[in-house]
Amino acid sequence: MNTELTWLTLTILMTAVFWIPYILDRFVKRGIMGTLDNPSLDANPQSAWAERAKAAHYNGVENLVIFAPLVLIANAAGVTGGIVATAAITYFWARLAHFVVYVFGIPGLRTLAFLVGFAAQVMVAGAILGWF
């Protein structure tokens, strides 16, 4: 498997576990039965950091929907290595940074991490289209 597919797989796995922190907080705030129950407006609210973790997870999923197909299209088109591999590695670290700084509530760094991830998406798209 090439570098970009390896890092895409790691990014998918990372995104797949981003739910764990906010569910653990839900166990603490609502108890086991409250967590397993159907969602309710009357439920105890989650910690602010857990709400941010949930938002960061959703944002990660929303952006993975764009990034993953781009990497797969590049791979199918034979556009591999170089810029695409670097973008896949960069995207992974940018999304990890985005999640961490979002959870800790650091807005300037959160935006910077998001933009780095977005730039990685543009780089892969540009490589597919022959811009780079």
Side-chain angles (χ1 to χ4, degrees):
M1 186 161 49
N2 63 29
T3 301
E4 48 272 29
L5 291 180
T6 298
W7 283 92
L8 175 59
T9 302
L10 292 172
T11 302
I12 291 167
L13 292 172
M14 175 180 66
T15 305
V17 300
F18 279 164
W19 63 271
I20 294 172
Y22 65 83
I23 294 301
L24 292 175
D25 179 74
R26 192 172 293 171
F27 276 120
V28 171
K29 293 289 190 173
R30 299 179 186 172
I32 293 173
M33 293 312 294
T35 299
L36 299 177
D37 198 7
N38 288 323
S40 169
L41 296 176
D42 299 330
N44 292 335
Q46 291 202 246
S47 301
W49 71 264
E51 291 292 339
R52 291 190 302 271
K54 187 174 182 180
H57 180 211
Y58 286 1
N59 185 270
V61 171
E62 291 165 352
N63 280 275
L64 189 57
V65 169
I66 297 165
F67 187 71
L70 286 171
V71 172
L72 295 174
I73 291 166
N75 190 67
V79 180
T80 61
I83 289 172
V84 177
T86 300
I89 295 166
T90 301
Y91 186 83
F92 173 90
W93 291 110
R95 294 311 308 184
L96 178 59
H98 180 267
F99 183 82
V100 171
V101 298
Y102 205 149
V103 169
F104 284 100
I106 308 169
L109 291 178
R110 184 189 82 211
T111 303
L112 179 61
F114 174 84
L115 290 173
V116 170
F118 176 73
Q121 292 174 350
V122 171
M123 296 302 289
V124 176
I128 293 167
L129 295 172
W131 297 347
F132 307 110

